[in-house]
Amino acid sequence: MHAHERRATGGESAARRGPERPRTPASALSTHRTDALRTLQRTAGNAAVARALAPAPEHARDPQQLQRYAEGEAAHGFDKVSAHGGIAIRGRYEAYADADMITAAAHSLDAQDQVPITLERGAAVQVGERTLYRVLPVYKDAGRAAAAVRAAGRNPQGAGHEPVAGDSAAQRDDKRAAYLRSLTDPPEVRQLVALTQRIVAALQGRAEPRSSTVDGLRSEAMKLAVATMGGGWVAARFPYPERTGREGLTDLAVIMPSLTADFLAGLPAVENQEAQVHELLITLPNDCKAAAAQLIGTPPNGGLSVRRDAPAVGENHFVDLTGAAPDGWANHFAAVILRDGSDSLTYESAADRTSALQQGKSLGYFELYGRAGTDQSFDQVIGAKNQAYAERAAQPT
């Protein structure tokens, strides 16, 4: 994989420059076929080829060195390009791949019944002399989309905002527009208000509330708080040990206005964040394991929590990060949706306890990982991201 260094954005760490590799001597290049030279131009850039073909200085004792990472025009505006040139990613939300690779990966996903998604081809781009196509993860059918929404505890109307195989470009645009409109009047607000009214009514009743009533209302409140503000908000604000009777209802009556206010306060940032995604992507949770399960189900050979050096399409990367960084992640999961030789393209999310968004289209992102055991491997890249996340989390707010 060729990673092109650029400033990290959106909380992602920049690609690191790896060790240099020997530059091919000019004498060897002069005997290569024309197609070999074109391949080198695509991967290293014309400027690098010119430097390689130039006569070596007389005083040089060793062959000149080609940088491991291509630079300049070789990047073609992308952040990373796979070693064989079949996959390219740009930013968080754009991945492109060879047409045959997308077709093969889609066939593989279609053959795995536990996997609810497949891939479609989007717009074409030119990467050097090669044409790649936008990689579009979509649900196999509307039923799979609805099931994913239910499993995530989201409003059922959200299924109408998910990409489904066979959608036309106009349908995708309409769904994205409807999704953005839904952010201005989220159904969660009505749910919060209705639940608050029920809690107040139970508190004002003459009879002593039953334990089952208090427990049920508390359970609803906690689920809604997790869905809107996340587990961190719940852990910090819900009293423990839990009180019963009127005292328990009083605790809930105090919490609900605060929950509603915090949710409303975060809506402008949520709307702006989601508007940055210009394609209809799958809505993912602020949780890497839940995201992987939503995308690929449970792989039959051991499940999600299995280390795989080269996971196949429909499987996942996994790493245990316990103790790796204070305030960091405990682990990380990433669903593999394409492969190009030893490089894997994933669609994944990464938990962020500071996020105001717990379910969203901006939470998912594409990543490209290199061969296991290299500095571009899943373990190394995620290890660096975990350290960066832990450092941000430790900073005072």
Side-chain angles (χ1 to χ4, degrees):
M1 172 175 63
H2 302 292
H4 308 289
E5 294 195 23
R6 63 170 54 189
R7 186 179 181 87
T9 58
E12 302 302 326
S13 57
R16 298 180 297 163
R17 183 176 296 277
E20 296 182 341
R21 62 183 181 189
R23 171 174 287 174
T24 306
S27 58
L29 283 173
S30 64
T31 62
H32 284 190
R33 299 190 308 273
T34 301
D35 59 342
L37 180 57
R38 287 176 178 168
T39 299
L40 181 58
Q41 288 173 322
R42 285 198 302 271
T43 57
N46 293 330
V49 172
R51 290 195 299 271
L53 292 174
E58 293 182 1
H59 61 275
R61 298 181 180 179
D62 299 316
Q64 291 179 301
Q65 300 294 305
L66 264 174
Q67 291 293 328
R68 177 183 176 193
Y69 298 120
E71 296 178 290
E73 62 193 75
H76 297 290
F78 293 91
D79 297 329
K80 296 179 182 178
V81 177
S82 60
H84 299 302
I87 302 173
I89 63 173
R90 179 164 52 205
R92 289 170 56 89
Y93 309 125
E94 294 182 43
Y96 297 85
D98 176 84
D100 290 340
M101 289 174 53
I102 295 175
T103 299
H107 287 164
S108 177
L109 294 169
D110 289 344
Q112 301 177 62
D113 188 60
Q114 82 280 0
V115 177
I117 68 164
T118 186
L119 300 181
E120 290 188 335
R121 279 170 31 184
V125 295
Q126 202 67 20
V127 183
E129 298 179 4
R130 193 165 188 169
T131 301
L132 302 183
Y133 295 85
R134 187 84 177 258
V135 178
L136 301 176
V138 298
Y139 286 104
K140 292 176 180 177
D141 52 56
R144 303 266 193 159
V149 169
R150 287 195 303 272
R154 293 165 48 204
N155 187 289
Q157 295 178 356
H161 305 149
E162 297 300 323
V164 174
D167 283 346
S168 66
Q171 287 174 315
R172 294 177 68 90
D173 289 343
D174 288 344
K175 285 184 175 183
R176 179 174 177 272
Y179 173 69
L180 293 177
R181 287 195 301 271
S182 74
L183 298 177
T184 64
D185 182 24
E188 291 84 356
V189 174
R190 293 185 290 278
Q191 291 176 288
L192 289 165
V193 172
L195 180 56
T196 302
Q197 291 173 337
R198 289 166 53 206
I199 291 170
V200 171
L203 183 60
Q204 293 175 341
R206 292 184 178 182
E208 181 68 17
R210 295 180 179 179
S211 296
S212 59
T213 300
V214 178
D215 291 343
L217 291 171
R218 181 185 292 111
S219 177
E220 286 187 58
M222 293 184 73
K223 288 180 180 178
L224 193 51
V226 169
T228 54
M229 299 302 298
W233 195 98
V234 172
R237 290 166 176 81
F238 272 73
Y240 187 84
E242 299 166 345
R243 300 201 294 178
T244 59
R246 291 190 182 279
E247 291 181 333
L249 289 177
T250 299
D251 290 339
L252 294 177
V254 171
I255 287 172
M256 291 305 296
S258 175
L259 172 59
T260 304
D262 287 353
F263 178 65
L264 289 172
L267 287 182
V270 167
E271 292 176 34
N272 179 67
Q273 182 174 320
E274 293 294 87
Q276 305 307 310
V277 184
H278 302 297
E279 179 56 74
L280 183 71
L281 298 180
I282 291 175
T283 305
L284 290 183
N286 184 28
D287 182 293
C288 62
K289 185 176 184 180
Q294 179 178 319
L295 293 169
I296 61 172
T298 302
N301 56 343
L304 294 169
S305 301
V306 173
R307 287 184 57 84
R308 301 174 175 92
D309 286 342
V313 171
E315 294 182 334
N316 66 285
H317 285 288
F318 166 74
V319 62
D320 185 347
L321 297 167
T322 303
D327 298 313
W329 300 315
N331 47 46
H332 192 68
F333 301 77
V336 175
I337 59 173
L338 265 173
R339 293 200 65 87
D340 185 11
S342 60
D343 296 334
S344 57
L345 176 70
T346 63
Y347 190 49
E348 58 186 279
S349 72
D352 184 351
R353 65 177 67 95
T354 66
S355 176
L357 188 61
Q358 300 307 311
Q359 298 275 347
K361 298 187 180 298
S362 63
L363 296 180
Y365 64 93
F366 295 98
E367 184 57 279
L368 187 63
Y369 299 106
R371 185 190 302 273
T374 70
D375 64 343
Q376 295 175 331
S377 69
F378 174 79
D379 285 6
Q380 291 295 315
V381 172
I382 292 302
K385 288 185 177 182
N386 185 39
Q387 290 290 338
Y389 172 68
E391 292 172 6
R392 291 196 308 275
Q395 293 175 356
T397 55

